[in-house]
Amino acid sequence: MSDHIYKKIELTGSSELSTDDAIKNAIARASKSVRNMRWFEVVETRGHIENNAVMHWQVTIKVGFTLDE
């Protein structure tokens, strides 16, 4: 059995639709340059209000990934 060693990075995704979409946007963009992503945790959720309505979401996540051998 191999040891599980991870490195963490922090990302902030944004979306006009939802917090889930903001998370998916962050992971999708990171996947273009980060390999072996395994998990994420939500660190912070923010929103932008305009004309008394939520107009934009920002979600900061920490993403864990395994290092190449």
Side-chain angles (χ1 to χ4, degrees):
M1 182 174 143
S2 63
D3 293 330
H4 297 281
I5 307 298
Y6 301 94
K7 181 169 179 71
K8 289 197 298 187
I9 58 172
E10 190 169 276
L11 305 169
T12 300
S14 60
S15 171
E16 293 180 352
L17 301 176
S18 68
T19 56
D20 287 350
D21 198 50
I23 292 167
K24 290 175 184 176
N25 289 342
I27 291 171
R29 175 58 184 87
S31 72
K32 294 179 180 181
S33 60
V34 178
R35 294 183 305 277
N36 305 319
M37 289 186 287
R38 303 291 184 227
W39 54 266
F40 72 91
E41 63 181 286
V42 175
V43 177
E44 184 176 33
T45 304
R46 292 181 300 280
H48 171 240
I49 299 170
E50 191 174 302
N51 297 321
N52 297 319
V54 175
M55 298 303 292
H56 202 257
W57 293 96
Q58 286 186 332
V59 180
T60 300
I61 60 175
K62 289 186 180 179
V63 176
F65 61 95
T66 55
L67 302 174
D68 287 337
E69 294 289 326

Coordinates of all heavy atoms in Angstrom, one line a residue:
M1 N 0.8 -1.2 0.0 CA 0.0 0.0 0.0 C 0.9 1.2 0.0 O 1.8 1.4 0.8 CB -0.9 0.0 1.2 CG -1.8 1.1 1.3 SD -2.9 0.9 2.7 CE -3.1 2.6 3.2
S2 N 0.6 2.2 -0.9 CA 1.4 3.4 -1.0 C 0.9 4.5 0.0 O -0.3 4.5 0.3 CB 1.5 3.9 -2.4 OG 0.1 4.3 -2.8
D3 N 1.8 5.3 0.4 CA 1.4 6.5 1.2 C 0.6 7.5 0.4 O 0.9 7.6 -0.8 CB 2.6 7.2 1.8 CG 3.3 6.3 2.8 OD1 2.7 5.4 3.5 OD2 4.5 6.4 3.0
H4 N -0.3 8.2 1.0 CA -1.1 9.2 0.3 C -0.5 10.6 0.8 O -0.7 11.0 1.9 CB -2.6 9.1 0.7 CG -3.2 7.8 0.2 ND1 -3.6 7.6 -1.1 CD2 -3.5 6.7 0.9 CE1 -4.1 6.4 -1.2 NE2 -4.0 5.8 0.0
I5 N 0.2 11.2 -0.1 CA 0.8 12.5 0.1 C 0.1 13.5 -0.9 O 0.1 13.2 -2.1 CB 2.3 12.5 -0.1 CG1 3.0 11.4 0.7 CG2 2.9 13.9 0.2 CD1 2.8 11.5 2.2
Y6 N -0.3 14.6 -0.3 CA -1.0 15.6 -1.1 C -0.4 17.0 -1.0 O 0.2 17.3 0.0 CB -2.5 15.7 -0.7 CG -3.3 14.5 -0.7 CD1 -3.4 13.6 0.4 CD2 -3.9 14.1 -1.9 CE1 -4.2 12.5 0.3 CE2 -4.6 12.9 -2.0 CZ -4.8 12.1 -0.9 OH -5.5 11.0 -1.0
K7 N -0.5 17.8 -2.0 CA -0.2 19.2 -2.0 C -1.5 19.9 -2.1 O -2.4 19.4 -2.8 CB 0.8 19.5 -3.1 CG 1.2 21.0 -3.1 CD 2.3 21.2 -4.1 CE 2.7 22.6 -4.1 NZ 3.4 23.1 -2.9
K8 N -1.6 21.1 -1.5 CA -2.9 21.9 -1.6 C -2.6 23.2 -2.2 O -1.6 23.8 -2.0 CB -3.4 22.1 -0.2 CG -4.0 20.9 0.5 CD -4.9 21.3 1.7 CE -4.3 22.0 2.8 NZ -5.2 22.2 3.9
I9 N -3.6 23.6 -3.0 CA -3.5 25.0 -3.6 C -4.9 25.6 -3.3 O -5.9 24.9 -3.0 CB -3.3 25.0 -5.1 CG1 -4.4 24.1 -5.9 CG2 -1.9 24.5 -5.4 CD1 -4.3 24.2 -7.4
E10 N -4.9 27.0 -3.3 CA -6.1 27.7 -3.1 C -6.6 28.4 -4.4 O -5.8 29.0 -5.0 CB -5.9 28.7 -2.0 CG -7.2 29.3 -1.5 CD -7.0 30.2 -0.2 OE1 -7.0 29.6 0.9 OE2 -6.8 31.4 -0.4
L11 N -7.9 28.2 -4.7 CA -8.4 28.8 -5.9 C -9.7 29.5 -5.6 O -10.4 29.2 -4.6 CB -8.8 27.6 -6.9 CG -7.7 26.6 -7.3 CD1 -8.4 25.5 -8.0 CD2 -6.7 27.3 -8.1
T12 N -10.0 30.5 -6.3 CA -11.3 31.2 -6.2 C -12.0 31.2 -7.6 O -11.5 31.7 -8.5 CB -11.2 32.7 -5.7 OG1 -10.5 32.7 -4.5 CG2 -12.5 33.3 -5.6
G13 N -13.2 30.5 -7.6 CA -14.0 30.4 -8.8 C -15.1 31.4 -8.7 O -15.6 31.8 -7.6
S14 N -15.7 31.8 -9.8 CA -16.8 32.8 -9.8 C -17.9 32.3 -10.8 O -17.6 31.6 -11.8 CB -16.3 34.2 -10.2 OG -15.7 34.2 -11.5
S15 N -19.1 32.8 -10.5 CA -20.2 32.4 -11.4 C -21.4 33.4 -11.1 O -21.6 33.8 -10.0 CB -20.7 31.0 -11.1 OG -21.9 30.7 -11.8
E16 N -22.1 33.6 -12.2 CA -23.4 34.4 -12.0 C -24.5 33.5 -11.7 O -25.6 33.9 -11.3 CB -23.7 35.2 -13.3 CG -22.7 36.2 -13.6 CD -23.0 37.0 -14.9 OE1 -23.9 36.6 -15.6 OE2 -22.3 38.0 -15.2
L17 N -24.3 32.1 -11.8 CA -25.4 31.2 -11.6 C -25.5 30.7 -10.1 O -26.6 30.7 -9.6 CB -25.2 30.0 -12.5 CG -25.2 30.3 -14.0 CD1 -25.0 29.0 -14.8 CD2 -26.5 30.9 -14.4
S18 N -24.4 30.1 -9.6 CA -24.5 29.5 -8.3 C -23.2 29.3 -7.7 O -22.1 29.3 -8.3 CB -25.3 28.1 -8.4 OG -24.4 27.2 -9.1
T19 N -23.2 28.9 -6.4 CA -21.9 28.5 -5.7 C -21.4 27.2 -6.3 O -20.1 27.1 -6.5 CB -22.1 28.3 -4.2 OG1 -23.1 27.4 -3.9 CG2 -22.5 29.7 -3.6
D20 N -22.2 26.3 -6.6 CA -21.8 25.0 -7.2 C -21.1 25.3 -8.6 O -20.0 24.7 -8.9 CB -22.9 24.1 -7.5 CG -23.4 23.4 -6.2 OD1 -22.8 23.6 -5.1 OD2 -24.5 22.8 -6.2
D21 N -21.7 26.2 -9.4 CA -21.1 26.5 -10.6 C -19.7 27.2 -10.5 O -18.8 27.0 -11.2 CB -22.0 27.4 -11.4 CG -21.7 27.4 -12.9 OD1 -21.5 26.4 -13.5 OD2 -21.7 28.5 -13.5
A22 N -19.6 28.0 -9.4 CA -18.3 28.7 -9.2 C -17.2 27.7 -8.8 O -16.1 27.8 -9.3 CB -18.5 29.7 -8.0
I23 N -17.6 26.7 -8.1 CA -16.7 25.6 -7.7 C -16.2 24.8 -9.0 O -15.1 24.6 -9.2 CB -17.3 24.7 -6.7 CG1 -17.4 25.4 -5.3 CG2 -16.4 23.4 -6.5 CD1 -18.3 24.6 -4.3
K24 N -17.2 24.5 -9.8 CA -17.0 23.7 -11.0 C -16.1 24.5 -12.0 O -15.2 24.0 -12.6 CB -18.3 23.3 -11.7 CG -19.0 22.3 -10.9 CD -20.4 22.0 -11.6 CE -21.1 21.0 -10.7 NZ -22.5 20.8 -11.2
N25 N -16.3 25.9 -12.0 CA -15.5 26.7 -12.9 C -14.0 26.7 -12.4 O -13.1 26.7 -13.2 CB -16.0 28.1 -12.9 CG -17.3 28.2 -13.7 OD1 -17.7 27.4 -14.5 ND2 -18.1 29.3 -13.5
A26 N -13.8 26.8 -11.1 CA -12.4 26.8 -10.6 C -11.7 25.5 -10.9 O -10.6 25.5 -11.3 CB -12.5 27.1 -9.1
I27 N -12.4 24.4 -10.6 CA -11.8 23.1 -10.9 C -11.5 22.9 -12.4 O -10.5 22.3 -12.7 CB -12.7 22.0 -10.3 CG1 -12.6 22.1 -8.7 CG2 -12.2 20.6 -10.7 CD1 -13.6 21.2 -8.0
A28 N -12.5 23.2 -13.2 CA -12.3 23.1 -14.6 C -11.1 23.9 -15.2 O -10.3 23.3 -15.9 CB -13.6 23.5 -15.4
R29 N -11.0 25.1 -14.7 CA -9.8 25.9 -15.2 C -8.5 25.3 -14.6 O -7.5 25.2 -15.4 CB -10.0 27.3 -14.7 CG -8.8 28.3 -15.0 CD -8.6 28.3 -16.5 NE -7.4 29.1 -16.8 CZ -6.1 28.6 -16.8 NH1 -5.9 27.3 -16.5 NH2 -5.1 29.4 -17.1
A30 N -8.5 24.9 -13.3 CA -7.3 24.4 -12.8 C -6.9 23.1 -13.5 O -5.7 22.8 -13.6 CB -7.4 24.1 -11.3
S31 N -7.8 22.3 -13.9 CA -7.5 21.0 -14.6 C -6.7 21.2 -15.8 O -6.1 20.2 -16.3 CB -8.8 20.2 -14.8 OG -9.5 20.8 -15.9
K32 N -6.6 22.4 -16.4 CA -5.8 22.6 -17.6 C -4.3 22.6 -17.3 O -3.5 22.4 -18.2 CB -6.2 24.0 -18.2 CG -7.6 24.0 -18.8 CD -8.0 25.3 -19.4 CE -9.4 25.3 -19.9 NZ -9.7 26.6 -20.6
S33 N -4.0 22.8 -16.0 CA -2.6 22.8 -15.7 C -2.2 22.0 -14.4 O -1.0 21.8 -14.2 CB -2.1 24.3 -15.5 OG -2.8 24.9 -14.4
V34 N -3.2 21.6 -13.7 CA -2.9 20.8 -12.4 C -3.4 19.4 -12.7 O -4.5 19.2 -13.0 CB -3.6 21.4 -11.2 CG1 -3.3 20.6 -10.0 CG2 -3.1 22.9 -11.0
R35 N -2.5 18.4 -12.5 CA -2.8 17.0 -12.6 C -3.1 16.4 -11.3 O -2.8 16.9 -10.2 CB -1.7 16.3 -13.3 CG -1.4 16.7 -14.7 CD -0.3 15.8 -15.4 NE 0.9 15.8 -14.6 CZ 1.9 16.8 -14.7 NH1 1.7 17.8 -15.4 NH2 3.0 16.7 -14.0
N36 N -3.8 15.3 -11.3 CA -4.1 14.4 -10.2 C -4.9 15.1 -9.0 O -4.6 14.8 -7.8 CB -2.7 13.9 -9.6 CG -1.9 13.2 -10.7 OD1 -2.4 12.4 -11.5 ND2 -0.6 13.5 -10.7
M37 N -5.8 16.0 -9.4 CA -6.6 16.6 -8.3 C -7.5 15.5 -7.7 O -8.1 14.6 -8.4 CB -7.5 17.7 -8.9 CG -6.7 18.9 -9.2 SD -7.7 20.3 -9.7 CE -8.2 19.8 -11.3
R38 N -7.6 15.5 -6.4 CA -8.3 14.4 -5.7 C -9.5 14.9 -4.9 O -10.5 14.1 -4.7 CB -7.4 13.6 -4.8 CG -6.2 13.0 -5.5 CD -6.6 11.9 -6.4 NE -5.5 11.3 -7.0 CZ -5.4 11.0 -8.3 NH1 -6.3 11.2 -9.1 NH2 -4.3 10.4 -8.7
W39 N -9.4 16.1 -4.3 CA -10.5 16.5 -3.4 C -10.5 18.0 -3.3 O -9.5 18.7 -3.7 CB -10.4 15.9 -2.0 CG -9.0 16.1 -1.3 CD1 -8.0 15.3 -1.4 CD2 -8.6 17.2 -0.6 NE1 -6.9 15.8 -0.7 CE2 -7.2 17.0 -0.2 CE3 -9.2 18.4 -0.2 CZ2 -6.5 17.9 0.5 CZ3 -8.4 19.3 0.5 CH2 -7.1 19.1 0.9
F40 N -11.5 18.6 -2.7 CA -11.6 20.1 -2.5 C -12.4 20.3 -1.2 O -13.2 19.5 -0.7 CB -12.2 20.8 -3.6 CG -13.7 20.7 -3.8 CD1 -14.5 21.6 -3.2 CD2 -14.2 19.7 -4.6 CE1 -15.9 21.4 -3.3 CE2 -15.5 19.5 -4.7 CZ -16.4 20.4 -4.1
E41 N -12.1 21.4 -0.6 CA -12.9 21.9 0.6 C -13.2 23.4 0.4 O -12.4 24.1 -0.1 CB -12.1 21.7 1.9 CG -10.8 22.5 2.0 CD -10.1 22.2 3.3 OE1 -10.5 22.7 4.4 OE2 -9.0 21.5 3.3
V42 N -14.4 23.8 0.7 CA -14.8 25.1 0.6 C -14.3 25.9 1.8 O -14.5 25.5 2.9 CB -16.4 25.2 0.5 CG1 -16.8 26.7 0.5 CG2 -16.9 24.5 -0.7
V43 N -13.6 27.0 1.5 CA -13.0 27.9 2.5 C -13.8 29.1 2.8 O -14.0 29.5 3.9 CB -11.5 28.3 2.1 CG1 -10.9 29.2 3.1 CG2 -10.7 27.0 1.9
E44 N -14.4 29.7 1.7 CA -15.1 30.9 1.8 C -16.1 31.1 0.7 O -15.8 30.7 -0.4 CB -14.1 32.1 1.8 CG -14.7 33.5 2.0 CD -13.6 34.6 2.0 OE1 -12.6 34.4 1.3 OE2 -13.8 35.5 2.8
T45 N -17.2 31.7 1.0 CA -18.2 31.9 0.0 C -18.6 33.4 0.1 O -18.9 33.9 1.2 CB -19.5 31.1 0.2 OG1 -19.1 29.7 0.2 CG2 -20.5 31.3 -0.9
R46 N -18.6 34.1 -1.1 CA -19.0 35.5 -1.1 C -19.9 35.7 -2.2 O -20.0 34.9 -3.2 CB -17.7 36.4 -1.4 CG -16.7 36.4 -0.3 CD -15.5 37.3 -0.6 NE -14.8 36.9 -1.9 CZ -13.9 35.9 -1.9 NH1 -13.6 35.2 -0.8 NH2 -13.3 35.6 -3.0
G47 N -20.7 36.8 -2.1 CA -21.6 37.2 -3.2 C -21.6 38.7 -3.4 O -21.2 39.5 -2.6
H48 N -22.0 39.0 -4.6 CA -22.1 40.4 -5.0 C -23.5 40.8 -5.2 O -24.3 40.0 -5.8 CB -21.3 40.7 -6.4 CG -21.5 42.0 -6.9 ND1 -22.1 42.2 -8.2 CD2 -21.3 43.3 -6.5 CE1 -22.2 43.5 -8.4 NE2 -21.7 44.1 -7.4
I49 N -24.0 41.9 -4.5 CA -25.4 42.3 -4.6 C -25.5 43.5 -5.4 O -24.7 44.5 -5.3 CB -25.9 42.6 -3.1 CG1 -25.8 41.3 -2.3 CG2 -27.3 43.1 -3.2 CD1 -26.0 41.6 -0.8
E50 N -26.5 43.5 -6.3 CA -26.8 44.6 -7.2 C -28.3 44.8 -7.3 O -29.0 43.8 -7.5 CB -26.2 44.4 -8.5 CG -26.2 45.6 -9.4 CD -25.4 45.4 -10.7 OE1 -24.2 45.0 -10.6 OE2 -26.0 45.5 -11.8
N51 N -28.8 46.0 -7.0 CA -30.3 46.2 -7.0 C -31.0 45.2 -6.2 O -32.0 44.7 -6.5 CB -30.8 46.2 -8.5 CG -30.2 47.3 -9.3 OD1 -30.0 48.4 -8.9 ND2 -29.9 46.9 -10.6
N52 N -30.5 45.0 -4.9 CA -31.1 44.1 -3.9 C -31.3 42.7 -4.4 O -32.1 42.0 -3.9 CB -32.5 44.7 -3.5 CG -32.4 46.1 -2.9 OD1 -31.4 46.3 -2.1 ND2 -33.2 47.0 -3.2
A53 N -30.4 42.2 -5.3 CA -30.4 40.8 -5.7 C -29.0 40.3 -5.8 O -28.1 41.1 -6.1 CB -31.1 40.7 -7.1
V54 N -28.9 39.0 -5.6 CA -27.5 38.4 -5.8 C -27.2 38.3 -7.3 O -28.0 37.7 -8.0 CB -27.5 37.0 -5.2 CG1 -26.2 36.3 -5.4 CG2 -27.8 37.0 -3.7
M55 N -26.1 38.9 -7.6 CA -25.7 39.0 -9.0 C -24.5 38.1 -9.4 O -24.3 37.7 -10.5 CB -25.4 40.4 -9.4 CG -26.6 41.3 -9.3 SD -28.1 40.8 -10.2 CE -27.5 41.0 -11.9
H56 N -23.7 37.7 -8.4 CA -22.5 37.0 -8.7 C -22.0 36.3 -7.5 O -22.1 36.8 -6.3 CB -21.4 38.1 -9.1 CG -20.3 37.6 -9.9 ND1 -19.1 37.3 -9.4 CD2 -20.2 37.2 -11.2 CE1 -18.3 36.9 -10.3 NE2 -19.0 36.8 -11.5
W57 N -21.5 35.1 -7.6 CA -20.9 34.3 -6.6 C -19.4 34.1 -6.7 O -18.9 34.0 -7.8 CB -21.6 32.9 -6.6 CG -23.0 32.9 -6.3 CD1 -24.1 32.9 -7.1 CD2 -23.6 32.9 -5.0 NE1 -25.2 32.9 -6.5 CE2 -25.0 32.9 -5.1 CE3 -23.1 32.9 -3.7 CZ2 -25.9 32.9 -4.1 CZ3 -23.9 32.9 -2.6 CH2 -25.3 32.9 -2.8
Q58 N -18.7 34.1 -5.6 CA -17.3 33.8 -5.6 C -17.1 32.7 -4.5 O -17.6 32.9 -3.3 CB -16.4 35.0 -5.3 CG -16.2 35.9 -6.4 CD -15.2 37.0 -6.1 OE1 -15.0 37.3 -4.9 NE2 -14.6 37.5 -7.1
V59 N -16.4 31.6 -4.8 CA -16.2 30.6 -3.8 C -14.7 30.3 -3.8 O -14.1 30.0 -4.9 CB -17.0 29.3 -4.1 CG1 -16.7 28.2 -3.1 CG2 -18.5 29.6 -4.2
T60 N -14.1 30.4 -2.6 CA -12.7 30.0 -2.5 C -12.6 28.6 -2.0 O -13.3 28.2 -1.0 CB -12.0 31.0 -1.5 OG1 -12.1 32.3 -2.1 CG2 -10.5 30.6 -1.3
I61 N -11.8 27.8 -2.7 CA -11.6 26.4 -2.3 C -10.2 26.0 -2.2 O -9.3 26.7 -2.7 CB -12.3 25.4 -3.3 CG1 -11.7 25.6 -4.7 CG2 -13.8 25.6 -3.4 CD1 -12.2 24.6 -5.8
K62 N -9.9 25.0 -1.4 CA -8.5 24.4 -1.3 C -8.7 23.1 -2.0 O -9.6 22.3 -1.8 CB -8.1 24.2 0.1 CG -7.7 25.5 0.8 CD -7.1 25.3 2.2 CE -6.8 26.6 2.8 NZ -6.2 26.4 4.1
V63 N -7.7 22.8 -3.0 CA -7.8 21.6 -3.8 C -6.5 20.8 -3.4 O -5.4 21.3 -3.4 CB -7.8 22.0 -5.3 CG1 -7.7 20.7 -6.1 CG2 -9.0 22.8 -5.6
G64 N -6.8 19.5 -3.1 CA -5.6 18.6 -2.9 C -5.4 17.8 -4.1 O -6.3 17.3 -4.7
F65 N -4.1 17.6 -4.4 CA -3.7 16.8 -5.5 C -2.4 16.0 -5.1 O -1.7 16.4 -4.3 CB -3.5 17.6 -6.8 CG -2.4 18.6 -6.7 CD1 -1.1 18.4 -7.1 CD2 -2.7 19.9 -6.2 CE1 -0.1 19.3 -7.1 CE2 -1.7 20.9 -6.1 CZ -0.4 20.6 -6.6
T66 N -2.3 14.8 -5.8 CA -1.1 14.0 -5.5 C 0.0 14.5 -6.4 O -0.2 14.9 -7.6 CB -1.4 12.5 -5.7 OG1 -1.9 12.3 -7.0 CG2 -2.4 12.0 -4.7
L67 N 1.2 14.4 -5.9 CA 2.4 14.7 -6.7 C 2.8 13.6 -7.6 O 2.6 12.4 -7.3 CB 3.6 15.1 -5.8 CG 3.3 16.2 -4.8 CD1 4.5 16.3 -3.8 CD2 3.1 17.5 -5.5
D68 N 3.4 13.9 -8.8 CA 3.9 12.9 -9.7 C 5.1 12.2 -9.0 O 5.8 12.7 -8.2 CB 4.4 13.6 -11.0 CG 3.3 14.0 -11.9 OD1 2.1 13.5 -11.7 OD2 3.5 14.9 -12.7
E69 N 5.2 10.9 -9.4 CA 6.3 10.1 -8.9 C 7.6 10.5 -9.4 O 7.8 11.0 -10.5 CB 6.1 8.6 -9.3 CG 4.9 8.0 -8.6 CD 5.1 7.8 -7.1 OE1 6.2 7.5 -6.7 OE2 4.1 8.0 -6.4

